[in-house]
Amino acid sequence: MIEQNHIKKAAALKYDQEKDGAPKLTASGKGETAKTIIKIAEQNGIPIKQDEDLVNMLSEIELNQEIPVELYKAVAEVFSFIYGISNNSGMKMDEKNNII
């Protein structure tokens, strides 16, 4: 959890192996926008990984742009975390890596 004196930030990524060369930033925001992003994720059963450093770096990217090479390792760790959760919880992934 981020301390209260910090403004909450959130970012959302999407990766379609058939169309994208790398994951894309689909949402990013702080304050109320971050709360909305998190709420939508929770309502849709999308796992949330807290990583303040990564969200700060992602917030520098334009929406719908692929992440830069420098973030591949960090984002791969997030996807690995999500796949681990989905495998352990009975969640399934569709052919476009969306959790279903």
Side-chain angles (χ1 to χ4, degrees):
M1 182 69 72
I2 299 172
E3 296 177 26
Q4 288 182 336
N5 60 349
H6 283 84
I7 296 172
K8 184 175 272 194
K9 294 181 182 180
L13 298 169
K14 181 178 181 179
Y15 180 50
D16 182 339
Q17 289 177 304
E18 294 177 15
K19 294 191 316 186
D20 302 327
K24 290 183 178 181
L25 182 70
T26 57
S28 179
K30 60 184 178 181
E32 289 302 315
T33 302
K35 290 178 184 177
T36 301
I37 292 167
I38 293 166
K39 182 179 178 182
I40 291 169
E42 290 172 340
Q43 290 172 341
N44 289 282
I46 298 169
I48 298 170
K49 172 96 167 75
Q50 293 186 19
D51 186 327
E52 188 175 356
D53 292 333
L54 180 57
V55 79
N56 284 331
M57 290 183 277
L58 290 170
S59 68
E60 301 293 321
I61 300 170
E62 295 287 326
L63 286 180
N64 297 312
Q65 295 297 310
E66 292 183 356
I67 63 165
V69 173
E70 297 83 17
L71 296 182
Y72 281 11
K73 182 178 180 194
V75 170
E77 290 172 3
V78 170
F79 278 104
S80 177
F81 166 82
I82 292 169
Y83 292 143
I85 286 176
S86 64
N87 288 336
N88 292 330
S89 69
M91 290 179 167
K92 296 180 182 176
M93 306 291 271
D94 67 12
E95 65 281 351
K96 293 185 178 177
N97 291 325
N98 294 313
I99 296 172
I100 55 173

